[in-house]
Amino acid sequence: MKLSRRRMLQGLGGAMLGLPVLEGLLPRRAQAAEPGALPFAIFLRQADGVAAAQSTSELGSEPERFWPEPLGNLTTATLAGKSLVELADHRARLLVVRNVNMKDYNYGDGHARGAFQALTARGPAVEGVGGDSEASGESLDHRIGRELNPQKRDSLYLYAGQSGGWLGGPCISHRGSASRRAALHDPWVAYQTMVGGPGGLTPEAREALLVRQKSINDLVSGQLKALQSRPELSRTDHERLDLHLSNVRDLEVALTCRARADEELRLQQQAPGYNSTDGSEVLATVRLHMDIAVLAVACGTTRSVAIQVGNGNDSATRYRDPATGQLMENFHYISHRRTSHDASGGIIAGSDVLHSRVDAQFAQTFNYLLDRLAAYALPDGKKLVDQGVSVWFNDLGNGPAHSARNVPFILAGSCNGYLKQGVAVTASGGGNPNLNKLLNTIGSAVGLRNAAGGPLDDFGDPTMPKGLLTELLA
């Protein structure tokens, strides 16, 4: 049984188990030339901007509660008092990028402009239609899958939060102009898709997992035992394989428990957790999606995953105030600082503080992803988190102003040393749009190339200046 680094064991009912990188199964030349996992990108989208410093005539001044101060090397002192302090344990891996500016395309709505542009760097397919908008080009997550995935399979696109709503729910990933992708909403379905390859599990495998509560590990037990007995595997290989199998089983247990809880909620005529408006349930779903994403990149199933939280303006989700444990107003109201989806409602007292507490919960969730990626050690001794880049981004710079400037992009992981780490930097370009250059930089780090074979430098709107943000490069 000859196995490559991206081999998937196949067993009962078409069940498939992706393998982590095992040094004993690598060809000798691959150990020298390509010792680690191929670089990947995982994107996490938050809506509604962040609690950055700003001042308006009606709301007054709001202090900085998000960006490190000062910029430069990230320390506990520069992160203190900011939402990003939740990422302090991973500060040596972070690349915090200020001054990422979107173009003010005529989408007819700030949320449409941000959500559809964030991973495409493109304007609208039809101008000025607001909630009916579509982007005019492919998104970066899809291009990574289309060009770099095994068998060119689709990258994973995962969604958490109430379906439907503003911009139609899932809205950040696109195959091409006016062709948005459908997202996997239920984590169990996403897991089936990941372990079963492009077609998912067969009915027999689903029955074995759902009815008999077997693990995928059990369904491939014959091949798995043969693999574990191979003399080429080192002690490190066995530890890595044990971690991978344990993570598979832990995720299955979490999903099974989640399914039982969802069924109870359905009996109470409430929405299941992944379709919830309760922010705690939504972020719990995001963590399940992250578990799936980590397994997928660890075994080479995909080089790209996009995770979207909430619909176009996350207008239904009510996150909990950690200070009281109570549900706050819906996030869109808080981002506007008013009890309305526009400027007509009454001001919500202390809403800038509440916004920062939501930011902190997203930072905690992003930290969970980094912890999971860091748990995987690769044959060259590096951690999986460092072989790729994880990107927590927003589609607005702040809430009240719906700004297209200074849109938050927090990167973690160097993509095998391609990107800087441990610093907060200012992207070049002044106040000019430079989002396309940021996406080019991320795409190049993962392995995308332009038509001439050089680093990707022409992604996004073809009328925009081409190139990379060289200040992000190591």
Side-chain angles (χ1 to χ4, degrees):
M1 178 177 63
K2 184 177 180 181
L3 295 169
S4 73
R5 334 192 263 119
R6 293 183 292 275
R7 177 67 178 265
M8 300 181 76
L9 302 182
Q10 185 165 359
L12 175 65
M16 300 175 75
L17 173 66
L19 297 172
V21 178
L22 301 174
E23 59 188 350
L25 302 182
L26 290 174
R28 288 186 180 275
R29 63 183 180 185
Q31 291 190 45
E34 191 183 26
L38 294 171
F40 59 85
I42 298 176
F43 301 94
L44 172 67
R45 176 266 193 177
Q46 175 188 346
D48 291 338
V50 295
Q54 57 189 328
S55 179
T56 67
S57 58
E58 292 182 313
L59 300 172
S61 297
E62 298 181 1
E64 185 59 64
R65 292 191 171 94
F66 186 82
W67 296 104
E69 295 178 310
L71 300 184
N73 292 335
L74 294 171
T75 67
T76 53
T78 64
L79 296 173
K82 311 298 191 292
S83 301
L84 293 181
V85 75
E86 302 294 341
L87 299 170
D89 288 347
H90 289 285
R91 64 185 181 277
R93 292 188 170 100
L94 298 182
L95 176 55
V96 177
V97 189
R98 289 207 62 162
N99 194 45
V100 175
N101 302 306
M102 294 182 175
K103 187 172 180 178
D104 194 16
Y105 294 107
N106 179 21
Y107 272 94
D109 171 75
H111 293 283
R113 179 198 65 212
F116 288 112
Q117 181 180 175
L119 291 181
T120 66
R122 291 271 190 160
V126 178
E127 292 192 346
V129 294
D132 294 323
S133 294
E134 299 288 350
S136 64
E138 183 180 26
S139 58
L140 183 64
D141 62 304
H142 183 263
R143 178 161 173 177
I144 291 171
R146 178 172 61 82
E147 293 195 7
L148 302 180
N149 272 356
Q151 291 81 52
K152 311 302 180 187
R153 70 169 64 99
D154 277 355
S155 59
L156 283 177
Y157 178 29
L158 311 174
Y159 179 83
Q162 192 172 59
S163 58
W166 190 241
L167 305 185
C171 56
I172 65 170
S173 185
H174 309 267
R175 295 182 184 279
S177 181
S179 179
R180 75 169 80 179
R181 297 178 62 202
L184 297 167
H185 198 184
D186 182 344
W188 184 254
V189 175
Y191 174 74
Q192 292 175 359
T193 302
M194 191 273 292
V195 299
L201 296 178
T202 66
E204 293 85 358
R206 291 193 187 97
E207 180 184 4
L209 284 168
L210 290 170
V211 179
R212 297 195 294 274
Q213 295 301 298
K214 277 193 173 185
S215 170
I216 266 291
N217 301 339
D218 299 325
L219 299 181
V220 297
S221 59
Q223 290 191 59
L224 192 54
K225 287 178 181 178
L227 171 62
Q228 290 170 320
S229 66
R230 291 184 63 156
E232 305 99 305
L233 298 189
S234 66
R235 178 178 177 179
T236 303
D237 281 339
H238 281 287
E239 291 174 351
R240 188 173 299 116
L241 187 57
D242 287 345
L243 170 66
H244 190 70
L245 299 178
S246 176
N247 284 342
V248 169
R249 185 57 185 151
D250 288 348
L251 177 55
E252 288 171 345
V253 169
L255 288 169
T256 301
C257 293
R258 186 84 172 180
R260 284 199 295 266
D262 290 349
E263 187 59 30
E264 291 174 359
L265 288 172
R266 289 190 189 96
L267 292 175
Q268 299 169 22
Q269 296 185 338
Q270 297 180 21
Y274 60 84
N275 195 36
S276 177
T277 59
D278 183 318
S280 297
E281 293 183 351
V282 172
L283 293 178
T285 298
V286 173
R287 290 191 291 274
L288 288 174
H289 281 324
M290 287 175 167
D291 289 339
I292 293 164
V294 171
L295 288 173
V297 298
C299 62
T301 301
T302 184
R303 300 272 295 277
S304 175
V305 183
I307 304 173
Q308 179 180 333
V309 185
N311 61 26
N313 56 11
D314 204 1
S315 57
T317 311
R318 300 177 66 194
Y319 297 96
R320 291 187 182 274
D321 184 347
T324 65
Q326 301 299 309
L327 290 173
M328 299 183 278
E329 274 288 3
N330 76 70
F331 187 34
H332 192 226
Y333 280 11
I334 288 173
S335 75
H336 273 270
R337 313 293 192 254
R338 295 178 177 277
T339 55
S340 65
H341 294 301
D342 52 27
S344 65
I347 294 175
I348 301 173
S351 51
D352 59 326
V353 176
L354 299 180
H355 195 153
S356 74
R357 291 173 181 171
V358 175
D359 295 340
Q361 292 177 58
F362 273 88
Q364 292 164 2
T365 305
F366 189 57
N367 190 75
Y368 176 87
L369 171 64
L370 304 185
D371 282 346
R372 297 293 283 176
L373 288 167
Y376 275 90
L378 298 169
D380 58 4
K382 294 181 180 179
K383 304 292 188 180
L384 185 62
V385 64
D386 300 314
Q387 303 299 105
V389 60
S390 299
V391 183
W392 167 29
F393 71 96
N394 213 295
D395 42 32
L396 297 174
N398 53 27
H402 284 35
S403 178
R405 295 190 173 190
N406 204 25
V407 178
F409 274 80
I410 313 300
L411 282 59
S414 70
C415 271
N416 296 319
Y418 194 92
L419 300 169
K420 285 181 179 176
Q421 294 186 291
V423 294
V425 302
T426 298
S428 59
N432 296 318
N434 56 6
L435 170 65
N436 63 315
K437 291 187 177 182
L438 175 71
L439 298 182
N440 278 320
T441 306
I442 294 171
S444 295
V446 177
L448 293 177
R449 295 292 178 261
N450 62 21
L456 182 70
D457 60 2
D458 55 358
F459 181 80
D461 188 334
T463 68
M464 296 290 289
K466 297 178 173 59
L468 309 181
L469 293 178
T470 56
E471 57 274 21
L472 274 57
L473 306 183

